[in-house]
Every structure is written in C-alpha cells, then in structure tokens.
Amino acid sequence: MTDVPTLSRRGFVLSLLAASGALVIGTRPILAAVVDAEPWTKDTPTGAHEFTPWLSIAPNGQVTVMVTTPDIGNGVVTQALSFVYEELGARWDDLRAQYASTSSDYALGGVYSKVNGSIGYFGGRSTSDERRITYMTAAANARERLRHAAAAQWNVPVGEVEARDGLIHHAASGRSTPFGALLAHAASVALPEDPKPKRREEWTHLGKDSPAKVQNPLVVSGAAVYGIDVKIPGKVYAALRQSPVMGGRLKSYDFESIRHMPGVRTVVEIKPTPANEKNILPSPFPMETTRIQAAVAVIADHYWQARTALDALPIEWEDGPGGKWENTQAMADAAMAVLDKPGGKVDFQAGDARADFAKGGKIIDASYLTPYCEHMPMEPLNGTALVTDKTVELWHPSQHTQMAFTLAVQQTGFAPENVTVHQTFVGGGFGRRAYGDDARMVVAVAQQYPGVPVHTIWSREESTRQGRYRAMVAGRLKARLGEDGLPTAFEAHGSGGPGMNFRGVSDTVFPQIVPNAHVETHILPDLHVLNGPYRGPGYNSGAFIMESFVDELANAAGVDPMEYRIRLYAKWQDKAWVKVLEELRDKSGWGQPLPKGQARGVAIGNWGMRGKPFAGTTCGAVAHAEVTQDGKLTIHRLDIAFDSGRILNRDAVRAELEGGAIFGLNMSLNEELNVEHGRIVEGNFHEYPMLRIGDIPQLHIHFGGLSDNERYYEIGEPPVGPVGPSVANAIFAVTGKRLRTTPFRKQDLRWGEKSASAG
Amino acid sequence: MSYSLKINGAAVDVDAAPDTPLLWVLRDHLGMTGTKFGCGVAQCGACTVHVDGVAARSCQFPLEAAVGVEITTIEGLAPNAQHPLQRVWVEANVPQCGYCQAGMLMAAAALLEANPNPTDDDINLHVDNICRCGTYPRVRAAIHKAAEMMRG
Ligand code: FES
Ligand code: FES
C-alpha cells in the first residue's frame, strides 16, 4: 500500500523546479532542494548508502536527509537541510528531505527521538543546539569519509582534498570525483572519532543565506499532500460527532433513520477511555488530554455523504458534570473567586511581600481575565487509519509524529513493531496537533471499521467545539511602589482549569527583580473544558496580564511607560531586555506627537526563559492605535523587536515574527469561546472572527535587539505575548480605559463626550 | 446522478448527488486535492476556484450548478504551476503552513485577470481569504509584484 510509485511524481517536481530555477526575479538565489509531495519515509533511492540514520547518499549524488520535526509552517524542514548543506559540501540542489520514520526510531532504540529528549520530534525546536549539532555532525562524518575515500584512491594526503559542490577535489592534480562514485569505499572508512562541526566563524551558509521553504513549489501547485489529501485505494470517510459537553456520554442514536441515505455504510460508536489507563510506551506529552471522548461517526463512501447523514442522525447525549456550567460567566466567576483563597501552588517566592505591603503607601491591585481560545488551524482536524487485527497504518498531519505513534500503540494495544505512522504536510498546528488526541481518535474510529482505510474528518464546527484550548486564565496582581516609583513588593495569583499555567507572570523577569515577590496558581478541577498547548502556552495570557499591570504601575508612578520599563528591566542581569526596548523606542517613533485619538503602547515579554537570564526569546512590541470617540479601534502600525540570542535564517525569522505578531493581534482583538450549559457555543469563522488582509497594520520587524548571546531560541511563540498588551496599553493612552480582559472587540471603547453620553 | 463538468479545460463525468458541494466533488470524487476545505460556509476562501474566470467559493457551489461553466482549479491555474503569482509566491517565501495558499492564489489570480493594476483596497476587497499563519503582508507584496511582472 505504501509503495506508491514515486518516481514519476518526483520527476514532475524536479522539472517544475528546474523551470522555476531559470527565472530570477529577486535577490534570493533560486535554490531547488526538494521534499516529496508525500513527505513521509517511503523509498530509499536505489543503491543509496546510509551514512548515519540521519543521512544517506545515492549513486546519483542525491542526499536524503531525515527530518524528525513536522513542518507546521515554520520552515524546519528547510532548516534541517541548511545544517547538512553547511557541512557536507553537497550542492543544494542535490538535497532532499524526508520525514524520519517513527518505526525506525522505535526499532533503533530512539535514534531520532532521543535528540532533544522527550520532545524529540516536536516542531518548536529545530534550531536547538542538540538538533543543529546532530545534523552537522552527521554531515561532517559523511564528508570526512568521502574525503578519506578519495584521498586513498588518489594516494594523496587527506589534507589535500576538499568537498565542494557534490565533488571531492584535489587541487594540486586538478582531479575531482563525485560523491556518488565514492560511496562503496567511503562506507568502509572508519573514522577514529566523529569530526567536530565547523565553528560559527567558518560558516558560509548558516546565518548568511535565507533559503525559502523547500516545499513552496508543492504548495503553490496544490501538489503538497496534507493529511486531508492522502489518497489510499479503497478509502472511506467518517464524519465525527463527540459529546457536545466534554466528558459527557452517549445515550443513544438511531442508525435506522439514516441507513437508507446514499453511500452510508454504518454508524460506529467510540467509547471513552477510562481515566486509569496505563501508558504502554513512554509518552512524550501527558496522556490525559488525549483520552477519547464519547463519540459517534457515520462511515460512508464519500465525505459529503457521511457529513450529510451525520447531520440527519438523531443522537442523544448525557451531559455529565460539565453540564452544570450554565454560561461562561459562571466559569469565570469560579476562577476569580478562588484567587483570594489560600492553598495555591507556589510558583515563585522571594523576600517577604506581606511585610512590605504592610508598610502601606502606593498599592496597585488589579484583576484580569483571558478567555478560552481555539487554535483554528486552517486544515480541520483529520487523519486516515487502516486497522487490522494486529496492525495499524496511520497517515496523519501530526505536529509530533512520535506522539501520534505512541497513541496509535496506546489506543490499539498492538505491538509497536506493527504500527506505522506516515507524517503528511500539516495545515497549521499552533499546538493543537501536538498532544495527539486527534491522531488517537482517528485510530479509534478506524478500529471500529477494521480492514478498510477510514479517513475521519472533523467539520470546522466539530474542530472548534472539540478543541484542547488555550486555557481561561484569571489573575490578580498587587504591587507596592517605592519612593522611586518602582515596585518593592509583588503578589500574584492565577487560576484556571487543569492544564492552565501562569507562565509569563511566574517565570518572567518581573518577580525576580522585585525584592519581595510571591506568585501562586490555583487549579480548578471541575472546569471541565479541556485545555492544551496554544502558541506560547501560559505565556500568551501571562504576558498580557503582566505587561498590562506594568503599564498600570507606570501610570501610577506618573512615568512614561517606555521610560518606566527601561528603568524597571535595567535591574535584570540580561541586558537584552533594555536593548529590545531601546530598539523599539528608537525605531517606532516613540514619543513623537500623534493626532488626538491616537497613541502608542508598549509591552515586552520572554518565551522560554523559565526564570533564567540569557534564555528563551525576549520580544517587545509597540502598537500605534487609534480609537475614535465612538469606540472604533484601528491599529495603524506594529513594531516588533526581539532577542533570541542569534539567528540562522533571517527571512524565516522575519516570517515567523510577522505571523506570530498577527496571531497575537487576532488573539487579543477577536478570540473568545463561550460556554452554554457546558457546551462550546462558537463553531465557525462567522462566530470566531479572524483578521483578514485589510485589517493588518503596517508591520515593522527590527533585528537590533539581538544580543549575540550563544543560542538560537524559538521565534514562533515570542511575539504572541507582547502584541496584545501593547495594543491595550495604547488604548489606555487614548481613552483612559484599562482593558483587563480580552478580546478587545467586545469592549466598550467610547471615550470623551461619547463615553459620557453613553453613560 | 451523473453530471458532465469542464474542469481545467477537460471534460469529466461525476456521479454524485446534485447538492454535493463542488469542493467535495473536486477533492473526493475527482482526486483534485489542491482545492482545500477550511470552513464549508464560504467564510475562509481556502476552497476558491474560478468559475468562468471569476473567483468562487466551491464549498457553497452545488454540483448541479457547475454544469455548463468552465471551472479552473489550482491544478489548472497555469502549465507547470508557472503563473507569475506562483513564481513570486515561491521566491518571496509567502507560504507558512501553506494550507490556505491555493485559495489565496486563486483569489489573487482572478483579481489580476480583472484588474491588472490593483490598489491595496482592491486587494482587501477581493483577497479576503483567511490565513491563520498570518502571511497577509507577504500575500499583498507578492500580488503587487506579480501584477508588475505581468504588466511587463
Ligand atoms: S471552505 Fe469554502 S470558504 Fe472556507
Ligand atoms: S499559510 Fe497557513 S493558513 Fe495560510
């Protein structure tokens, strides 16, 4: 089944690329490394020699690189090729990427997943030291063996030969020979030890070139195979409905009433996973949120038939405990109420905040709330599985292939050797496809219809209402200001349902630089709506809460918010915070006069620092906003500056910052899920609006905040934190209204005379 | 029921219910999966195709209405995917996850067909597809660039 003839497809791809290669339309060199339209591990070119599990070379010189990280739009596949390109001396055009097989990983004792520990496959860390060094070492190893082989053949010292453009050259004699001709000999070369990758000063490609994503030609031609596009002979479709209240049960359904509908094969019931299940394999991510929810699925020959029949199927549910929540407000009230109670988990503690507060003086105390949000990846959740009596084959747009593999094993109880996962292209992740509950459900549905490949597709509404959401977070923050206007004591409480965390408040700089600080979180187990990772988990809410609060302090101290932050964060040993702020101040036009009704706001945060200096990515934003007196909000411009230490592919970094800033803007302006009688209300984009092209402010991405500290930290998450509060702080500067909840579109922003007349 | 359609210049026969959305006819009955499902309710534009040269959201376009018109999908936008928009898209690194991009390209191509020199407002109006990855600034720049190339 997996041996689809790939040569003709590859032939097509290559000719398409060759044609575009002739066209020079800009400054970017047209580079033509490839990935297959079906990117999973399938074929090894005939006669190819595997140098390491990461890299093989074929007699025609083609280099196949195994990539463990699904590319969810961040360019990780291209980055892996860049690492190899830097070391190997191959031609870029000879590089080809393929997703590493989870089966090989299992069979070879975790050869891929060990790199970067338990999150080995995860999409977020393509530039970590471990990953980079692994690829570069593998490539250097292959290069050295090729050099030794050529030197031996020519009987010249190894030091006289070099690898370049897919050839080994001997300058003195003018000889050269292609990699492909040296494979057999190179295979027998034993190196005394793994060569060290080049030092950064020696790099000629990394940090200098910005290759575009290698899959772009496949994307623009419509050929890239996403999960929803897999073609498998005999495939049938399932339309899925899960208990509208998470944790609810299926009471009954009436198959007879739809049995006659065209194409309908059957209705299957999917039973919830018991809470006490034991892990079969070690799980990269927690298993709890992957538990199957009670569901029914209609299976039909074609998707539209399945979908139409599902809509016509009478189903009765028993809501379970989550049904008690009449509306979102009741849940928010519960989260708020617990903030004043003792007994939270202490996340941070320094000095004696209580004693300092007792001194009185200027104390600022404010409460915030951020709602549940859904990732809304453009590709609705889906996947295809073929389950037999002892095997599973899964084709899936996973954000973490190893987790999908682990869950296919978990769901069926089959031997891991009998489970195969094919990683497809992924139509957006943002965390939604990391924990793998979708992969597990796909397997669970197919289990009920064995022997036939079943493609389960969530409707957009089902995808939205059955998310693993950005948690609702309630927060209460209190600070006392000293004589200089800077805080001397800080106390913060956060709360939310299981899976919520208070990062962005507890692990950011602020508590570390206030002499007396105490941060704790309270988890409410009966908030039944399931949470999961969403672009910058914890941080996306935490940064809004923290940096809105800092703005409140600046206002109370009577200091310009930019100036206040520079003074405040100057106390932190990692000077990049101040550098990022100064870059923003200088580049955004901060302080320059604006017409009435317009103002700038600033915010800063760090994704990934976990309380440590010189870690994570610090990111700041300045928003230039306009609010008319009758409350209409326009964002004219966003300036972004950041410090990830160093960067490798400038244009890829820019693209991620652009996308992340827009994601953060949408989250803050638009996003909110509501609950009624335990059910999620919003289903589709008319209820959960997205910014469109005409809503996007001018975006200015600045690189002057980079510290050159020795790390290449993540880029996708960082801007999601500061953009929202920078807008809220600009709105405050115009209207005098402090926004302590999101989304802003739901709030009354009228000011001046209009505000008065509105009462 | 059997219908005869004209897609990317070729005649094809499809056997499906008359109200089946063209989107699923293309994807599921004909295996042309470049056209994407995003919302099903004409909100996102991922399913955009051309019907007689005009951008249409195929998720809300019933099969029975697709008879007697010329349908163009991303697979048929240009030979070897060499439409100037496609070439600029690759070069300018427009796609992130890429899922919305076929729809973006089809909307943009229909716009340029009707209006070789679109303003920003024209783009706002006619390319109002959703991109969750936030490629909008690059989409806009790439449309202007391709328009410039096409004007010569
Ligand atoms: S799928 Fe047709 S507009 Fe979204
Ligand atoms: S590129 Fe991912 S949705 Fe547009």
Side-chain angles (χ1 to χ4, degrees):
Chain A
M1 167 141 322
T2 57
D3 287 328
V4 187
T6 53
L7 282 175
S8 58
R9 184 176 293 108
R10 272 192 49 73
F12 166 75
V13 171
L14 288 171
S15 65
L16 186 152
L17 283 159
S20 66
L23 177 85
V24 179
I25 48 180
T27 51
R28 187 198 299 278
I30 299 284
L31 299 171
V34 293
V35 58
D36 286 355
E38 293 179 342
W40 54 89
T41 302
K42 227 168 347 186
D43 57 328
T44 312
T46 325
H49 181 77
E50 186 181 288
F51 277 75
T52 83
W54 299 90
L55 175 66
S56 68
I57 304 180
N60 66 0
Q62 188 179 68
V63 179
T64 301
V65 177
M66 293 299 173
V67 180
T68 54
T69 323
D71 194 331
I72 52 173
N74 42 7
V76 294
V77 165
T78 309
Q79 191 58 51
L81 296 182
S82 276
F83 290 142
V84 169
Y85 181 69
E86 179 65 58
E87 283 291 342
L88 186 58
R91 297 185 315 150
W92 180 266
D93 306 48
D94 287 335
L95 299 182
R96 172 200 187 217
Q98 184 165 279
Y99 284 128
S101 149
T102 45
S103 298
S104 310
D105 182 64
Y106 181 76
L108 299 174
V111 64
Y112 301 120
S113 58
K114 269 192 196 139
V115 176
N116 280 121
S118 67
I119 53 167
Y121 272 86
F122 186 40
R125 290 175 169 74
S126 65
T127 57
S128 72
D129 284 355
E130 236 182 320
R131 186 73 58 87
R132 173 169 53 83
I133 290 165
T134 297
Y135 277 115
M136 294 182 77
T137 305
N141 174 297
R143 181 198 65 223
E144 287 311 296
R145 284 155 77 183
L146 290 162
R147 284 180 66 223
H148 274 87
Q153 277 185 13
W154 293 330
N155 205 12
V156 298
V158 179
E160 289 184 10
V161 303
E162 63 161 338
R164 191 167 16 94
D165 299 330
L167 304 165
I168 304 292
H169 299 266
H170 184 238
S173 64
R175 280 177 292 191
S176 67
T177 188
F179 287 0
L182 294 165
L183 297 180
H185 192 161
S188 64
V189 172
L191 298 174
E193 58 185 28
D194 255 339
K196 293 254 175 306
K198 289 187 206 168
R199 283 172 300 121
R200 180 174 174 240
E201 302 73 54
E202 301 168 306
W203 292 351
T204 56
H205 171 66
L206 294 174
K208 300 192 166 64
D209 299 335
S210 279
K213 292 179 198 69
V214 295
Q215 67 269 34
N216 284 348
L218 299 169
V219 168
V220 303
S221 65
V225 175
Y226 293 82
I228 207 164
D229 302 329
V230 295
K231 295 181 181 74
I232 300 154
K235 181 177 88 169
V236 298
Y237 289 88
L240 178 71
R241 181 133 324 137
Q242 297 159 80
S243 167
V245 180
M246 289 171 174
R249 301 270 154 171
L250 177 67
K251 261 206 262 184
S252 66
Y253 61 90
D254 178 16
F255 178 37
E256 288 313 312
S257 65
I258 60 155
R259 184 189 283 279
H260 63 281
M261 290 179 74
V264 170
R265 292 176 167 228
T266 190
V267 175
V268 298
E269 178 184 346
I270 298 99
K271 294 255 188 334
T273 312
N276 58 0
E277 66 170 336
K278 295 257 181 318
N279 288 10
I280 298 176
L281 292 177
S283 180
F285 288 128
M287 207 64 105
E288 298 93 75
T289 57
T290 73
R291 281 184 210 137
I292 296 293
Q293 299 287 306
V296 288
V298 176
I299 296 181
D301 296 343
H302 293 287
Y303 175 68
W304 194 249
Q305 296 169 333
R307 173 78 184 271
T308 313
L310 178 67
D311 288 342
L313 179 70
I315 314 173
E316 279 195 83
W317 304 98
E318 185 190 304
D319 288 349
K324 76 172 179 187
W325 297 109
E326 198 176 323
N327 53 38
T328 326
Q329 192 58 48
M331 299 174 81
D333 290 347
M336 281 294 187
V338 80
L339 292 175
D340 299 327
K341 303 237 162 70
K345 177 170 89 54
V346 177
D347 291 329
F348 187 89
Q349 165 61 41
D352 188 346
R354 198 148 291 174
D356 195 74
F357 278 120
K359 294 179 190 158
K362 208 174 249 181
I363 293 177
I364 292 87
D365 183 345
S367 297
Y368 301 86
L369 184 82
T370 60
Y372 290 111
C373 293
E374 154 63 16
H375 312 71
M376 288 281 189
M378 284 311 295
E379 179 181 10
L381 299 182
N382 78 97
T384 304
L386 169 59
V387 180
T388 69
D389 57 351
K390 52 178 179 304
T391 65
V392 189
E393 192 165 3
L394 172 67
W395 295 258
H396 200 69
S398 175
Q399 208 180 328
H400 193 299
T401 326
Q402 192 198 1
M403 190 70 199
F405 176 79
T406 303
L407 287 169
V409 171
Q410 182 77 15
Q411 181 59 27
T412 55
F414 294 167
E417 303 78 45
N418 295 341
V419 173
T420 314
V421 179
H422 308 293
Q423 174 68 47
T424 67
F425 282 101
V426 188
F430 318 114
R432 179 63 188 92
R433 292 174 154 103
Y435 279 14
D437 62 288
D438 54 333
R440 187 172 187 174
M441 179 60 88
V442 166
V443 172
V445 173
Q447 248 181 324
Q448 301 302 312
Y449 202 68
V452 180
V454 182
H455 191 164
T456 301
I457 302 178
W458 282 238
S459 66
R460 171 57 64 189
E461 292 78 5
E462 184 74 8
S463 228
T464 306
R465 295 188 177 125
Q466 299 290 342
R468 300 293 181 270
Y469 303 115
R470 193 288 287 271
M472 176 176 75
V473 177
R476 181 167 177 197
L477 279 62
K478 201 166 96 166
R480 178 179 171 274
L481 301 187
E483 290 297 304
D484 58 356
L486 296 179
T488 58
F490 177 52
E491 187 177 340
H493 297 254
S495 69
M500 166 269 177
N501 74 62
F502 209 31
R503 253 175 246 155
V505 176
S506 60
D507 75 350
T508 189
V509 168
F510 190 86
Q512 314 248 3
I513 52 176
V514 180
N516 306 287
H518 179 90
V519 183
E520 61 181 64
T521 46
H522 310 253
I523 300 297
L524 286 86
D526 64 342
L527 292 180
H528 70 297
V529 171
L530 292 169
N531 297 320
Y534 166 110
R535 203 166 187 171
Y539 165 73
N540 53 51
S541 286
F544 168 71
I545 293 170
M546 189 72 250
E547 276 290 294
S548 297
F549 186 68
V550 168
D551 223 63
E552 303 210 34
L553 303 188
N555 186 55
V559 180
D560 169 82
M562 179 68 84
E563 188 52 39
Y564 187 81
R565 280 179 179 79
I566 291 174
R567 284 199 338 227
L568 176 69
Y569 291 125
K571 294 177 161 196
W572 182 235
Q573 49 193 303
D574 184 347
K575 298 304 168 205
W577 281 64
V578 169
K579 194 173 184 202
V580 164
L581 288 166
E582 288 174 345
E583 171 80 351
L584 285 170
R585 180 193 61 196
D586 298 346
K587 300 281 172 67
S588 69
W590 187 270
Q592 287 169 20
L594 290 170
K596 191 170 152 69
Q598 300 185 24
R600 295 184 186 88
V602 58
I604 188 168
N606 178 300
W607 163 250
M609 64 182 282
R610 305 271 178 127
K612 296 196 182 65
F614 316 109
T617 294
T618 304
C619 188
V622 167
H624 166 189
E626 176 172 5
V627 188
T628 62
Q629 291 208 8
D630 51 8
K632 189 176 166 310
L633 170 68
T634 310
I635 319 298
H636 290 295
R637 171 172 169 165
L638 278 176
D639 286 76
I640 306 287
F642 71 107
D643 173 40
S644 57
R646 297 168 173 171
I647 58 171
L648 289 164
N649 179 330
R650 192 180 176 94
D651 188 59
V653 165
R654 180 186 289 279
E656 277 293 287
L657 289 168
E658 290 166 356
I662 291 169
F663 195 98
L665 189 61
N666 196 71
M667 177 181 83
S668 314
L669 294 181
N670 284 336
E671 294 183 42
E672 172 186 52
L673 290 168
N674 284 285
V675 174
E676 260 173 31
H677 302 291
R679 296 155 167 72
I680 299 293
V681 176
E682 290 77 9
N684 215 316
F685 293 113
H686 58 292
E687 297 155 320
Y688 196 91
M690 292 283 146
L691 296 170
R692 315 264 172 159
I693 198 166
D695 305 320
I696 304 304
Q698 276 185 52
L699 262 178
H700 296 263
I701 309 288
H702 307 289
F703 289 78
L706 283 165
S707 62
D708 200 33
N709 176 260
E710 197 174 346
R711 66 185 197 275
Y712 302 87
Y713 205 73
E714 297 164 17
I715 303 292
E717 294 90 344
V720 178
V723 167
S726 75
V727 171
N729 296 339
I731 292 171
F732 174 78
V734 175
T735 66
K737 289 185 169 176
R738 179 61 66 188
L739 305 190
R740 296 193 180 93
T741 63
T742 65
F744 306 150
R745 77 180 158 96
K746 290 263 177 100
Q747 303 186 33
D748 179 1
L749 301 184
R750 287 173 297 180
W751 61 282
E753 287 160 26
K754 300 279 183 172
S755 169
S757 67
Chain B
M1 280 184 66
S2 188
Y3 295 89
S4 265
L5 305 184
K6 193 147 176 230
I7 303 175
N8 299 333
V12 289
D13 291 327
V14 184
D15 193 6
D19 60 350
T20 308
L22 177 59
L23 168 66
W24 293 105
V25 170
L26 292 168
R27 293 184 50 79
D28 177 0
H29 294 259
L30 300 172
M32 301 171 73
T33 50
T35 305
K36 295 294 193 264
F37 165 52
C39 68
V41 297
Q43 276 282 322
C44 74
C47 65
T48 304
V49 299
H50 297 171
V51 174
D52 288 335
V54 176
R57 294 190 168 174
S58 64
C59 67
Q60 289 290 316
F61 201 94
L63 170 57
E64 59 190 339
V67 177
V69 297
E70 302 254 358
I71 296 156
T72 309
T73 69
I74 187 71
E75 290 90 349
L77 180 60
N80 292 327
Q82 289 298 297
H83 191 286
L85 283 165
Q86 288 168 308
R87 300 189 319 208
V88 176
W89 238 249
V90 169
E91 142 91 10
N93 206 16
V94 174
Q96 288 194 27
C97 82
Y99 193 81
C100 72
Q101 299 290 330
M104 285 280 184
L105 281 158
M106 293 308 282
L111 169 62
L112 293 190
E113 192 63 35
N115 178 355
N117 194 7
T119 63
D120 278 344
D121 283 344
D122 296 329
I123 293 172
N124 295 348
L125 193 63
H126 294 281
V127 190
D128 67 337
N129 303 27
I130 296 174
C131 173
R132 181 56 154 159
C133 296
T135 62
Y136 299 122
R138 286 174 191 238
V139 167
R140 182 188 299 287
I143 293 173
H144 285 309
K145 174 95 188 167
E148 196 184 307
M149 281 169 59
M150 287 167 79
R151 292 195 305 272

Short mmCIF file of all heavy atoms in Angstrom, two decimals, chain A residues 378, chain B residues 96-98 100-101 131-133 135, ligand 2:
data_model
loop_
_atom_site.label_atom_id
_atom_site.label_comp_id
_atom_site.label_asym_id
_atom_site.label_seq_id
_atom_site.Cartn_x
_atom_site.Cartn_y
_atom_site.Cartn_z
N MET A 378 -5.97 26.09 9.78
CA MET A 378 -6.83 26.13 8.59
C MET A 378 -7.21 24.74 8.10
O MET A 378 -8.26 24.56 7.50
CB MET A 378 -6.17 26.93 7.47
CG MET A 378 -6.22 28.43 7.68
SD MET A 378 -7.84 29.08 8.12
CE MET A 378 -8.74 28.72 6.62
N GLN B 96 3.33 29.85 4.76
CA GLN B 96 3.85 29.27 6.01
C GLN B 96 3.40 27.81 6.01
O GLN B 96 4.02 26.99 5.36
CB GLN B 96 3.41 30.09 7.22
CG GLN B 96 4.19 31.42 7.25
CD GLN B 96 4.11 32.17 8.55
OE1 GLN B 96 3.92 31.62 9.61
NE2 GLN B 96 4.26 33.48 8.48
N CYS B 97 2.27 27.48 6.67
CA CYS B 97 1.85 26.07 6.57
C CYS B 97 1.39 25.76 5.15
O CYS B 97 1.43 24.61 4.72
CB CYS B 97 0.75 25.76 7.57
SG CYS B 97 -0.92 26.23 7.06
N GLY B 98 0.95 26.77 4.43
CA GLY B 98 0.61 26.60 3.02
C GLY B 98 -0.82 26.20 2.74
O GLY B 98 -1.26 26.23 1.59
N CYS B 100 -3.78 27.50 3.22
CA CYS B 100 -4.71 28.48 2.65
C CYS B 100 -4.25 28.99 1.29
O CYS B 100 -4.96 29.76 0.64
CB CYS B 100 -4.84 29.68 3.58
SG CYS B 100 -3.35 30.70 3.58
N GLN B 101 -3.03 28.62 0.90
CA GLN B 101 -2.38 29.37 -0.18
C GLN B 101 -2.98 29.13 -1.56
O GLN B 101 -3.00 30.02 -2.40
CB GLN B 101 -0.87 29.08 -0.19
CG GLN B 101 -0.16 29.50 1.11
CD GLN B 101 -0.08 31.00 1.30
OE1 GLN B 101 -0.01 31.74 0.32
NE2 GLN B 101 -0.10 31.46 2.53
N CYS B 131 -5.98 33.50 6.48
CA CYS B 131 -4.72 32.78 6.68
C CYS B 131 -4.40 32.80 8.15
O CYS B 131 -4.06 33.85 8.70
CB CYS B 131 -3.58 33.42 5.90
SG CYS B 131 -1.99 32.66 6.29
N ARG B 132 -4.52 31.67 8.81
CA ARG B 132 -4.27 31.63 10.25
C ARG B 132 -2.79 31.84 10.56
O ARG B 132 -2.44 32.27 11.66
CB ARG B 132 -4.77 30.29 10.81
CG ARG B 132 -4.60 30.12 12.30
CD ARG B 132 -5.26 31.23 13.11
NE ARG B 132 -5.63 30.81 14.45
CZ ARG B 132 -5.84 31.65 15.45
NH1 ARG B 132 -5.71 32.96 15.25
NH2 ARG B 132 -6.20 31.21 16.63
N CYS B 133 -1.93 31.52 9.62
CA CYS B 133 -0.50 31.70 9.85
C CYS B 133 -0.07 33.16 9.74
O CYS B 133 1.05 33.50 10.11
CB CYS B 133 0.32 30.87 8.87
SG CYS B 133 0.08 29.10 9.04
N THR B 135 0.17 35.21 6.82
CA THR B 135 1.05 35.54 5.68
C THR B 135 0.60 36.80 4.95
O THR B 135 1.14 37.13 3.90
CB THR B 135 1.07 34.37 4.66
OG1 THR B 135 -0.25 34.17 4.15
CG2 THR B 135 1.55 33.08 5.29
S1 FES C 2 -0.17 29.68 5.32
FE1 FES C 2 -1.06 28.58 6.96
S2 FES C 2 -3.11 29.22 6.88
FE2 FES C 2 -2.15 30.47 5.44
#
